[in-house]
Amino acid sequence: MFDFDTPIDRRGTQSLKWDKFKERDVLPLWVADTDFTAPQAVIDALQARVAHGVFGYSRPSPRLIQLIVDRMAERYGWTISPEWLLFMPGVVPGLNFACRAWCRPQQQIITPSPVYYPFLHAPEYNQRGVSHLPMQLVNDRWLPDFAALEALAPQADLLLLCSPHNPGGTVFTRDELLRINDIARRHDLVVCSDEIHCDLLLDDVEHIPFASLNEDAASRSAVLMAPSKTFNIAGLCCSFAIIPNPKLRLSLQQAMRGLMADNNLLGFVAAEAAYAEGQPWLDAQLGYLRENRDLIMAKLGKVPGIKIARIEATYLAWIDVSGLGLDNPIQAFEAGGVGLSPGAQFGDAEFVRLNFGCPRALLEEALNRMLKVIDQHRQP
């Protein structure tokens, strides 16, 4: 029913991902959008709305709000109220406004490292100090260093959490989240949890929204979500925060005043259609992504000099290339025709990040090119 194999030519479409290498034979596997067309229900809804012809200021429909409420109950057993929702154009603005709203200027913001790079920049952009929480490889999964979190917490007001973790691909268990919650409770931290990849689970694991853990977690946290990564509609700019505590919600609204634009009308339309009718497409996409993930592990996972931890979620592979002896891995792979994200952006220059949300043939070609680079480097 769904075709993820047929290549879609994105050149000449103002694609950030593809325009970066438009004059070169480089396959772009870097920025985190996929090369799949969105669900047909989303396309149909957008075409119908465009045919209306008027594109004024807009608000989320009651149906979209109810779809989100129902989604939280059905997927997570989490009962939320519509008034807990704040809509915004993206999760990244939410991270930045969280820094303004929930951290005093003299205090620190704790952010994992490595992590999606806007986490690393948001404290600086908002004149706050940053404390880096090391992520450690434990039993083939990336986890926060809990002892380090305990040590950093007394000087901090806010913890930025990335769950599931980008770029590591870890889906945190209930016990792991409860350990974070316990430290946050004892040191009175607010937790802002970016959960944008929560629908992209590749293993038989459970995503647990942080604020759904218990009453204390609900009182001190905000959950940021969006349909953008799930349904490949990031360019339509629609996300939302779920904030049970009215005081935290009000302080975020105050931090946003005059600085946050209204959401894109078509983003609301796409989100509503995706949540209402997109699940069969999502199920098929997840099966395809699992096979892509497994192909990466088969082709690269046993190559001497490369290490890849288990990718439980996302369509991103966090690849340790430190054992290859490449002076500049990004340059070497680009010269061989593959464009990856540099690990230094995320906090560790010994890694690269590969986006496998693409047709299988493109991924196979990219992996073969990477293997050729590796082989050429090893030749005497």
Side-chain angles (χ1 to χ4, degrees), residues 189-225:
L189 297 178
V190 176
V191 179
C192 182
S193 184
D194 169 5
E195 304 187 10
I196 198 170
H197 290 101
C198 63
D199 292 317
L200 296 168
L201 306 183
L202 304 182
D203 282 348
D204 185 17
V205 291
E206 176 189 13
H207 175 76
I208 301 168
F210 187 87
S212 73
L213 283 171
N214 52 47
E215 289 186 9
D216 179 79
S219 73
R220 66 175 65 257
S221 65
V223 169
L224 307 181
M225 291 184 176

PDB file of all heavy atoms in Angstrom, residues 189-225:
ATOM      1  N   LEU A 189      14.477  20.720  40.201  1.00  0.00           N
ATOM      2  CA  LEU A 189      14.731  21.050  38.803  1.00  0.00           C
ATOM      3  C   LEU A 189      13.428  21.008  38.010  1.00  0.00           C
ATOM      4  O   LEU A 189      12.584  20.141  38.221  1.00  0.00           O
ATOM      5  CB  LEU A 189      15.692  20.048  38.165  1.00  0.00           C
ATOM      6  CG  LEU A 189      17.114  19.939  38.705  1.00  0.00           C
ATOM      7  CD1 LEU A 189      17.858  18.845  37.944  1.00  0.00           C
ATOM      8  CD2 LEU A 189      17.844  21.264  38.590  1.00  0.00           C
ATOM      9  N   VAL A 190      13.291  21.911  37.067  1.00  0.00           N
ATOM     10  CA  VAL A 190      12.280  21.777  36.019  1.00  0.00           C
ATOM     11  C   VAL A 190      12.891  20.896  34.927  1.00  0.00           C
ATOM     12  O   VAL A 190      14.087  21.020  34.620  1.00  0.00           O
ATOM     13  CB  VAL A 190      11.873  23.142  35.443  1.00  0.00           C
ATOM     14  CG1 VAL A 190      10.888  22.981  34.273  1.00  0.00           C
ATOM     15  CG2 VAL A 190      11.261  24.018  36.531  1.00  0.00           C
ATOM     16  N   VAL A 191      12.088  20.026  34.349  1.00  0.00           N
ATOM     17  CA  VAL A 191      12.551  19.146  33.280  1.00  0.00           C
ATOM     18  C   VAL A 191      11.775  19.477  32.011  1.00  0.00           C
ATOM     19  O   VAL A 191      10.547  19.395  31.991  1.00  0.00           O
ATOM     20  CB  VAL A 191      12.362  17.660  33.629  1.00  0.00           C
ATOM     21  CG1 VAL A 191      12.829  16.766  32.480  1.00  0.00           C
ATOM     22  CG2 VAL A 191      13.106  17.315  34.916  1.00  0.00           C
ATOM     23  N   CYS A 192      12.491  19.876  30.974  1.00  0.00           N
ATOM     24  CA  CYS A 192      11.883  20.110  29.658  1.00  0.00           C
ATOM     25  C   CYS A 192      12.311  18.960  28.757  1.00  0.00           C
ATOM     26  O   CYS A 192      13.492  18.821  28.431  1.00  0.00           O
ATOM     27  CB  CYS A 192      12.325  21.448  29.079  1.00  0.00           C
ATOM     28  SG  CYS A 192      11.555  21.831  27.488  1.00  0.00           S
ATOM     29  N   SER A 193      11.347  18.126  28.383  1.00  0.00           N
ATOM     30  CA  SER A 193      11.647  16.877  27.684  1.00  0.00           C
ATOM     31  C   SER A 193      11.234  16.954  26.220  1.00  0.00           C
ATOM     32  O   SER A 193      10.046  17.015  25.897  1.00  0.00           O
ATOM     33  CB  SER A 193      10.916  15.722  28.384  1.00  0.00           C
ATOM     34  OG  SER A 193      11.242  14.487  27.801  1.00  0.00           O
ATOM     35  N   ASP A 194      12.227  16.961  25.343  1.00  0.00           N
ATOM     36  CA  ASP A 194      11.996  16.939  23.898  1.00  0.00           C
ATOM     37  C   ASP A 194      11.707  15.499  23.492  1.00  0.00           C
ATOM     38  O   ASP A 194      12.594  14.645  23.522  1.00  0.00           O
ATOM     39  CB  ASP A 194      13.233  17.476  23.176  1.00  0.00           C
ATOM     40  CG  ASP A 194      13.203  17.261  21.669  1.00  0.00           C
ATOM     41  OD1 ASP A 194      12.179  16.774  21.151  1.00  0.00           O
ATOM     42  OD2 ASP A 194      14.214  17.561  21.005  1.00  0.00           O
ATOM     43  N   GLU A 195      10.461  15.235  23.098  1.00  0.00           N
ATOM     44  CA  GLU A 195      10.036  13.877  22.765  1.00  0.00           C
ATOM     45  C   GLU A 195       9.554  13.782  21.315  1.00  0.00           C
ATOM     46  O   GLU A 195       8.645  13.025  20.984  1.00  0.00           O
ATOM     47  CB  GLU A 195       8.978  13.417  23.774  1.00  0.00           C
ATOM     48  CG  GLU A 195       9.511  13.519  25.206  1.00  0.00           C
ATOM     49  CD  GLU A 195       8.617  12.948  26.293  1.00  0.00           C
ATOM     50  OE1 GLU A 195       7.608  12.276  25.958  1.00  0.00           O
ATOM     51  OE2 GLU A 195       8.928  13.177  27.483  1.00  0.00           O
ATOM     52  N   ILE A 196      10.218  14.539  20.451  1.00  0.00           N
ATOM     53  CA  ILE A 196       9.792  14.641  19.056  1.00  0.00           C
ATOM     54  C   ILE A 196       9.904  13.318  18.304  1.00  0.00           C
ATOM     55  O   ILE A 196       9.192  13.094  17.326  1.00  0.00           O
ATOM     56  CB  ILE A 196      10.588  15.757  18.339  1.00  0.00           C
ATOM     57  CG1 ILE A 196       9.882  16.189  17.050  1.00  0.00           C
ATOM     58  CG2 ILE A 196      12.018  15.311  18.070  1.00  0.00           C
ATOM     59  CD1 ILE A 196      10.481  17.435  16.416  1.00  0.00           C
ATOM     60  N   HIS A 197      10.785  12.413  18.769  1.00  0.00           N
ATOM     61  CA  HIS A 197      10.962  11.123  18.090  1.00  0.00           C
ATOM     62  C   HIS A 197      10.161   9.998  18.744  1.00  0.00           C
ATOM     63  O   HIS A 197      10.411   8.819  18.487  1.00  0.00           O
ATOM     64  CB  HIS A 197      12.449  10.737  18.064  1.00  0.00           C
ATOM     65  CG  HIS A 197      13.279  11.590  17.160  1.00  0.00           C
ATOM     66  ND1 HIS A 197      14.067  12.618  17.615  1.00  0.00           N
ATOM     67  CD2 HIS A 197      13.434  11.587  15.811  1.00  0.00           C
ATOM     68  CE1 HIS A 197      14.688  13.193  16.593  1.00  0.00           C
ATOM     69  NE2 HIS A 197      14.317  12.590  15.485  1.00  0.00           N
ATOM     70  N   CYS A 198       9.174  10.350  19.568  1.00  0.00           N
ATOM     71  CA  CYS A 198       8.485   9.337  20.370  1.00  0.00           C
ATOM     72  C   CYS A 198       7.706   8.327  19.536  1.00  0.00           C
ATOM     73  O   CYS A 198       7.437   7.208  20.007  1.00  0.00           O
ATOM     74  CB  CYS A 198       7.556  10.004  21.372  1.00  0.00           C
ATOM     75  SG  CYS A 198       6.215  10.970  20.640  1.00  0.00           S
ATOM     76  N   ASP A 199       7.321   8.677  18.317  1.00  0.00           N
ATOM     77  CA  ASP A 199       6.561   7.753  17.468  1.00  0.00           C
ATOM     78  C   ASP A 199       7.449   6.833  16.648  1.00  0.00           C
ATOM     79  O   ASP A 199       6.945   5.912  15.992  1.00  0.00           O
ATOM     80  CB  ASP A 199       5.669   8.542  16.498  1.00  0.00           C
ATOM     81  CG  ASP A 199       4.548   9.276  17.199  1.00  0.00           C
ATOM     82  OD1 ASP A 199       3.928   8.679  18.087  1.00  0.00           O
ATOM     83  OD2 ASP A 199       4.291  10.441  16.850  1.00  0.00           O
ATOM     84  N   LEU A 200       8.750   7.061  16.675  1.00  0.00           N
ATOM     85  CA  LEU A 200       9.662   6.336  15.781  1.00  0.00           C
ATOM     86  C   LEU A 200      10.417   5.258  16.544  1.00  0.00           C
ATOM     87  O   LEU A 200      11.647   5.252  16.622  1.00  0.00           O
ATOM     88  CB  LEU A 200      10.618   7.331  15.116  1.00  0.00           C
ATOM     89  CG  LEU A 200       9.931   8.344  14.192  1.00  0.00           C
ATOM     90  CD1 LEU A 200      10.894   9.459  13.802  1.00  0.00           C
ATOM     91  CD2 LEU A 200       9.377   7.660  12.952  1.00  0.00           C
ATOM     92  N   LEU A 201       9.668   4.315  17.114  1.00  0.00           N
ATOM     93  CA  LEU A 201      10.243   3.233  17.897  1.00  0.00           C
ATOM     94  C   LEU A 201      10.535   2.044  16.986  1.00  0.00           C
ATOM     95  O   LEU A 201       9.627   1.527  16.323  1.00  0.00           O
ATOM     96  CB  LEU A 201       9.297   2.819  19.017  1.00  0.00           C
ATOM     97  CG  LEU A 201       8.810   3.938  19.950  1.00  0.00           C
ATOM     98  CD1 LEU A 201       7.943   3.354  21.061  1.00  0.00           C
ATOM     99  CD2 LEU A 201       9.976   4.733  20.533  1.00  0.00           C
ATOM    100  N   LEU A 202      11.783   1.597  16.973  1.00  0.00           N
ATOM    101  CA  LEU A 202      12.197   0.528  16.069  1.00  0.00           C
ATOM    102  C   LEU A 202      12.278  -0.829  16.759  1.00  0.00           C
ATOM    103  O   LEU A 202      12.267  -1.859  16.093  1.00  0.00           O
ATOM    104  CB  LEU A 202      13.552   0.869  15.453  1.00  0.00           C
ATOM    105  CG  LEU A 202      13.633   2.212  14.715  1.00  0.00           C
ATOM    106  CD1 LEU A 202      15.018   2.397  14.109  1.00  0.00           C
ATOM    107  CD2 LEU A 202      12.561   2.325  13.648  1.00  0.00           C
ATOM    108  N   ASP A 203      12.395  -0.835  18.071  1.00  0.00           N
ATOM    109  CA  ASP A 203      12.430  -2.073  18.832  1.00  0.00           C
ATOM    110  C   ASP A 203      11.128  -2.232  19.612  1.00  0.00           C
ATOM    111  O   ASP A 203      10.289  -1.323  19.655  1.00  0.00           O
ATOM    112  CB  ASP A 203      13.616  -2.078  19.810  1.00  0.00           C
ATOM    113  CG  ASP A 203      14.930  -2.389  19.113  1.00  0.00           C
ATOM    114  OD1 ASP A 203      14.896  -2.824  17.941  1.00  0.00           O
ATOM    115  OD2 ASP A 203      15.996  -2.186  19.732  1.00  0.00           O
ATOM    116  N   ASP A 204      10.985  -3.366  20.269  1.00  0.00           N
ATOM    117  CA  ASP A 204       9.810  -3.617  21.103  1.00  0.00           C
ATOM    118  C   ASP A 204      10.033  -2.949  22.453  1.00  0.00           C
ATOM    119  O   ASP A 204      10.316  -3.594  23.469  1.00  0.00           O
ATOM    120  CB  ASP A 204       9.587  -5.117  21.259  1.00  0.00           C
ATOM    121  CG  ASP A 204       8.300  -5.429  22.026  1.00  0.00           C
ATOM    122  OD1 ASP A 204       7.448  -4.525  22.139  1.00  0.00           O
ATOM    123  OD2 ASP A 204       8.159  -6.568  22.505  1.00  0.00           O
ATOM    124  N   VAL A 205       9.945  -1.631  22.437  1.00  0.00           N
ATOM    125  CA  VAL A 205      10.185  -0.821  23.631  1.00  0.00           C
ATOM    126  C   VAL A 205       8.997   0.117  23.822  1.00  0.00           C
ATOM    127  O   VAL A 205       8.172   0.298  22.925  1.00  0.00           O
ATOM    128  CB  VAL A 205      11.485   0.000  23.503  1.00  0.00           C
ATOM    129  CG1 VAL A 205      12.699  -0.916  23.533  1.00  0.00           C
ATOM    130  CG2 VAL A 205      11.492   0.839  22.216  1.00  0.00           C
ATOM    131  N   GLU A 206       8.933   0.719  25.000  1.00  0.00           N
ATOM    132  CA  GLU A 206       7.818   1.611  25.336  1.00  0.00           C
ATOM    133  C   GLU A 206       8.341   3.020  25.555  1.00  0.00           C
ATOM    134  O   GLU A 206       9.267   3.228  26.347  1.00  0.00           O
ATOM    135  CB  GLU A 206       7.127   1.106  26.606  1.00  0.00           C
ATOM    136  CG  GLU A 206       6.013   2.010  27.114  1.00  0.00           C
ATOM    137  CD  GLU A 206       5.484   1.608  28.479  1.00  0.00           C
ATOM    138  OE1 GLU A 206       6.143   0.783  29.156  1.00  0.00           O
ATOM    139  OE2 GLU A 206       4.422   2.125  28.875  1.00  0.00           O
ATOM    140  N   HIS A 207       7.755   3.975  24.862  1.00  0.00           N
ATOM    141  CA  HIS A 207       8.072   5.369  25.163  1.00  0.00           C
ATOM    142  C   HIS A 207       7.160   5.857  26.282  1.00  0.00           C
ATOM    143  O   HIS A 207       5.936   5.660  26.225  1.00  0.00           O
ATOM    144  CB  HIS A 207       7.901   6.267  23.941  1.00  0.00           C
ATOM    145  CG  HIS A 207       8.106   7.717  24.282  1.00  0.00           C
ATOM    146  ND1 HIS A 207       9.356   8.264  24.482  1.00  0.00           N
ATOM    147  CD2 HIS A 207       7.206   8.719  24.517  1.00  0.00           C
ATOM    148  CE1 HIS A 207       9.226   9.529  24.800  1.00  0.00           C
ATOM    149  NE2 HIS A 207       7.938   9.835  24.840  1.00  0.00           N
ATOM    150  N   ILE A 208       7.746   6.516  27.267  1.00  0.00           N
ATOM    151  CA  ILE A 208       6.988   7.027  28.413  1.00  0.00           C
ATOM    152  C   ILE A 208       7.189   8.535  28.485  1.00  0.00           C
ATOM    153  O   ILE A 208       8.304   9.002  28.748  1.00  0.00           O
ATOM    154  CB  ILE A 208       7.470   6.370  29.717  1.00  0.00           C
ATOM    155  CG1 ILE A 208       7.314   4.847  29.638  1.00  0.00           C
ATOM    156  CG2 ILE A 208       6.695   6.925  30.918  1.00  0.00           C
ATOM    157  CD1 ILE A 208       8.017   4.105  30.750  1.00  0.00           C
ATOM    158  N   PRO A 209       6.148   9.340  28.233  1.00  0.00           N
ATOM    159  CA  PRO A 209       6.300  10.786  28.397  1.00  0.00           C
ATOM    160  C   PRO A 209       6.718  11.123  29.821  1.00  0.00           C
ATOM    161  O   PRO A 209       6.143  10.583  30.789  1.00  0.00           O
ATOM    162  CB  PRO A 209       4.893  11.318  28.085  1.00  0.00           C
ATOM    163  CG  PRO A 209       4.255  10.256  27.240  1.00  0.00           C
ATOM    164  CD  PRO A 209       4.800   8.963  27.768  1.00  0.00           C
ATOM    165  N   PHE A 210       7.695  11.993  29.963  1.00  0.00           N
ATOM    166  CA  PHE A 210       8.249  12.263  31.289  1.00  0.00           C
ATOM    167  C   PHE A 210       7.173  12.731  32.256  1.00  0.00           C
ATOM    168  O   PHE A 210       7.116  12.279  33.406  1.00  0.00           O
ATOM    169  CB  PHE A 210       9.379  13.300  31.204  1.00  0.00           C
ATOM    170  CG  PHE A 210      10.098  13.482  32.509  1.00  0.00           C
ATOM    171  CD1 PHE A 210      11.162  12.657  32.832  1.00  0.00           C
ATOM    172  CD2 PHE A 210       9.700  14.458  33.414  1.00  0.00           C
ATOM    173  CE1 PHE A 210      11.821  12.801  34.052  1.00  0.00           C
ATOM    174  CE2 PHE A 210      10.351  14.609  34.631  1.00  0.00           C
ATOM    175  CZ  PHE A 210      11.411  13.782  34.960  1.00  0.00           C
ATOM    176  N   ALA A 211       6.303  13.618  31.818  1.00  0.00           N
ATOM    177  CA  ALA A 211       5.301  14.191  32.721  1.00  0.00           C
ATOM    178  C   ALA A 211       4.238  13.184  33.137  1.00  0.00           C
ATOM    179  O   ALA A 211       3.458  13.451  34.057  1.00  0.00           O
ATOM    180  CB  ALA A 211       4.633  15.401  32.070  1.00  0.00           C
ATOM    181  N   SER A 212       4.193  12.030  32.473  1.00  0.00           N
ATOM    182  CA  SER A 212       3.206  11.010  32.811  1.00  0.00           C
ATOM    183  C   SER A 212       3.685  10.075  33.915  1.00  0.00           C
ATOM    184  O   SER A 212       2.926   9.203  34.359  1.00  0.00           O
ATOM    185  CB  SER A 212       2.853  10.181  31.566  1.00  0.00           C
ATOM    186  OG  SER A 212       3.919   9.296  31.223  1.00  0.00           O
ATOM    187  N   LEU A 213       4.920  10.228  34.382  1.00  0.00           N
ATOM    188  CA  LEU A 213       5.489   9.294  35.354  1.00  0.00           C
ATOM    189  C   LEU A 213       4.709   9.262  36.658  1.00  0.00           C
ATOM    190  O   LEU A 213       4.383   8.203  37.184  1.00  0.00           O
ATOM    191  CB  LEU A 213       6.942   9.676  35.648  1.00  0.00           C
ATOM    192  CG  LEU A 213       7.996   9.322  34.611  1.00  0.00           C
ATOM    193  CD1 LEU A 213       9.319   9.986  34.977  1.00  0.00           C
ATOM    194  CD2 LEU A 213       8.173   7.818  34.508  1.00  0.00           C
ATOM    195  N   ASN A 214       4.433  10.438  37.198  1.00  0.00           N
ATOM    196  CA  ASN A 214       3.774  10.560  38.499  1.00  0.00           C
ATOM    197  C   ASN A 214       3.401  12.019  38.725  1.00  0.00           C
ATOM    198  O   ASN A 214       3.687  12.882  37.870  1.00  0.00           O
ATOM    199  CB  ASN A 214       4.687  10.044  39.628  1.00  0.00           C
ATOM    200  CG  ASN A 214       6.077  10.667  39.593  1.00  0.00           C
ATOM    201  OD1 ASN A 214       6.218  11.882  39.454  1.00  0.00           O
ATOM    202  ND2 ASN A 214       7.115   9.833  39.700  1.00  0.00           N
ATOM    203  N   GLU A 215       2.798  12.308  39.858  1.00  0.00           N
ATOM    204  CA  GLU A 215       2.342  13.674  40.126  1.00  0.00           C
ATOM    205  C   GLU A 215       3.501  14.647  40.221  1.00  0.00           C
ATOM    206  O   GLU A 215       3.403  15.801  39.772  1.00  0.00           O
ATOM    207  CB  GLU A 215       1.512  13.710  41.408  1.00  0.00           C
ATOM    208  CG  GLU A 215       0.147  13.056  41.285  1.00  0.00           C
ATOM    209  CD  GLU A 215      -0.701  13.246  42.521  1.00  0.00           C
ATOM    210  OE1 GLU A 215      -0.293  14.028  43.413  1.00  0.00           O
ATOM    211  OE2 GLU A 215      -1.771  12.611  42.614  1.00  0.00           O
ATOM    212  N   ASP A 216       4.607  14.216  40.820  1.00  0.00           N
ATOM    213  CA  ASP A 216       5.749  15.126  40.935  1.00  0.00           C
ATOM    214  C   ASP A 216       6.303  15.473  39.564  1.00  0.00           C
ATOM    215  O   ASP A 216       6.572  16.647  39.277  1.00  0.00           O
ATOM    216  CB  ASP A 216       6.844  14.500  41.796  1.00  0.00           C
ATOM    217  CG  ASP A 216       8.051  15.416  41.901  1.00  0.00           C
ATOM    218  OD1 ASP A 216       7.995  16.374  42.701  1.00  0.00           O
ATOM    219  OD2 ASP A 216       9.036  15.204  41.164  1.00  0.00           O
ATOM    220  N   ALA A 217       6.482  14.457  38.710  1.00  0.00           N
ATOM    221  CA  ALA A 217       6.994  14.724  37.364  1.00  0.00           C
ATOM    222  C   ALA A 217       6.064  15.661  36.616  1.00  0.00           C
ATOM    223  O   ALA A 217       6.514  16.575  35.913  1.00  0.00           O
ATOM    224  CB  ALA A 217       7.169  13.415  36.603  1.00  0.00           C
ATOM    225  N   ALA A 218       4.762  15.454  36.749  1.00  0.00           N
ATOM    226  CA  ALA A 218       3.802  16.328  36.071  1.00  0.00           C
ATOM    227  C   ALA A 218       3.919  17.765  36.570  1.00  0.00           C
ATOM    228  O   ALA A 218       3.754  18.716  35.796  1.00  0.00           O
ATOM    229  CB  ALA A 218       2.381  15.814  36.291  1.00  0.00           C
ATOM    230  N   SER A 219       4.236  17.939  37.836  1.00  0.00           N
ATOM    231  CA  SER A 219       4.272  19.283  38.414  1.00  0.00           C
ATOM    232  C   SER A 219       5.509  20.068  38.020  1.00  0.00           C
ATOM    233  O   SER A 219       5.534  21.297  38.152  1.00  0.00           O
ATOM    234  CB  SER A 219       4.207  19.193  39.945  1.00  0.00           C
ATOM    235  OG  SER A 219       5.438  18.712  40.482  1.00  0.00           O
ATOM    236  N   ARG A 220       6.549  19.381  37.538  1.00  0.00           N
ATOM    237  CA  ARG A 220       7.824  20.066  37.290  1.00  0.00           C
ATOM    238  C   ARG A 220       8.328  19.898  35.865  1.00  0.00           C
ATOM    239  O   ARG A 220       9.519  20.087  35.602  1.00  0.00           O
ATOM    240  CB  ARG A 220       8.896  19.571  38.269  1.00  0.00           C
ATOM    241  CG  ARG A 220       9.313  18.117  38.111  1.00  0.00           C
ATOM    242  CD  ARG A 220      10.474  17.755  39.058  1.00  0.00           C
ATOM    243  NE  ARG A 220      10.092  17.837  40.452  1.00  0.00           N
ATOM    244  CZ  ARG A 220      10.426  18.844  41.245  1.00  0.00           C
ATOM    245  NH1 ARG A 220      11.192  19.833  40.792  1.00  0.00           N
ATOM    246  NH2 ARG A 220      10.034  18.878  42.489  1.00  0.00           N
ATOM    247  N   SER A 221       7.445  19.553  34.931  1.00  0.00           N
ATOM    248  CA  SER A 221       7.978  19.266  33.598  1.00  0.00           C
ATOM    249  C   SER A 221       7.080  19.762  32.481  1.00  0.00           C
ATOM    250  O   SER A 221       5.896  20.049  32.676  1.00  0.00           O
ATOM    251  CB  SER A 221       8.202  17.757  33.440  1.00  0.00           C
ATOM    252  OG  SER A 221       6.995  17.050  33.479  1.00  0.00           O
ATOM    253  N   ALA A 222       7.700  19.838  31.309  1.00  0.00           N
ATOM    254  CA  ALA A 222       7.006  20.106  30.044  1.00  0.00           C
ATOM    255  C   ALA A 222       7.460  19.057  29.050  1.00  0.00           C
ATOM    256  O   ALA A 222       8.646  18.704  28.994  1.00  0.00           O
ATOM    257  CB  ALA A 222       7.338  21.500  29.520  1.00  0.00           C
ATOM    258  N   VAL A 223       6.529  18.554  28.276  1.00  0.00           N
ATOM    259  CA  VAL A 223       6.819  17.590  27.229  1.00  0.00           C
ATOM    260  C   VAL A 223       6.622  18.275  25.881  1.00  0.00           C
ATOM    261  O   VAL A 223       5.555  18.853  25.635  1.00  0.00           O
ATOM    262  CB  VAL A 223       5.908  16.351  27.347  1.00  0.00           C
ATOM    263  CG1 VAL A 223       6.024  15.469  26.114  1.00  0.00           C
ATOM    264  CG2 VAL A 223       6.248  15.559  28.605  1.00  0.00           C
ATOM    265  N   LEU A 224       7.637  18.237  25.031  1.00  0.00           N
ATOM    266  CA  LEU A 224       7.566  18.829  23.703  1.00  0.00           C
ATOM    267  C   LEU A 224       7.406  17.719  22.672  1.00  0.00           C
ATOM    268  O   LEU A 224       8.210  16.780  22.641  1.00  0.00           O
ATOM    269  CB  LEU A 224       8.830  19.637  23.392  1.00  0.00           C
ATOM    270  CG  LEU A 224       9.238  20.700  24.404  1.00  0.00           C
ATOM    271  CD1 LEU A 224      10.499  21.426  23.930  1.00  0.00           C
ATOM    272  CD2 LEU A 224       8.120  21.697  24.666  1.00  0.00           C
ATOM    273  N   MET A 225       6.378  17.825  21.837  1.00  0.00           N
ATOM    274  CA  MET A 225       6.111  16.828  20.801  1.00  0.00           C
ATOM    275  C   MET A 225       5.736  17.519  19.497  1.00  0.00           C
ATOM    276  O   MET A 225       5.422  18.711  19.482  1.00  0.00           O
ATOM    277  CB  MET A 225       4.983  15.881  21.218  1.00  0.00           C
ATOM    278  CG  MET A 225       5.303  14.935  22.346  1.00  0.00           C
ATOM    279  SD  MET A 225       3.912  13.783  22.646  1.00  0.00           S
ATOM    280  CE  MET A 225       4.618  12.740  23.916  1.00  0.00           C
TER     281      MET A 225
END
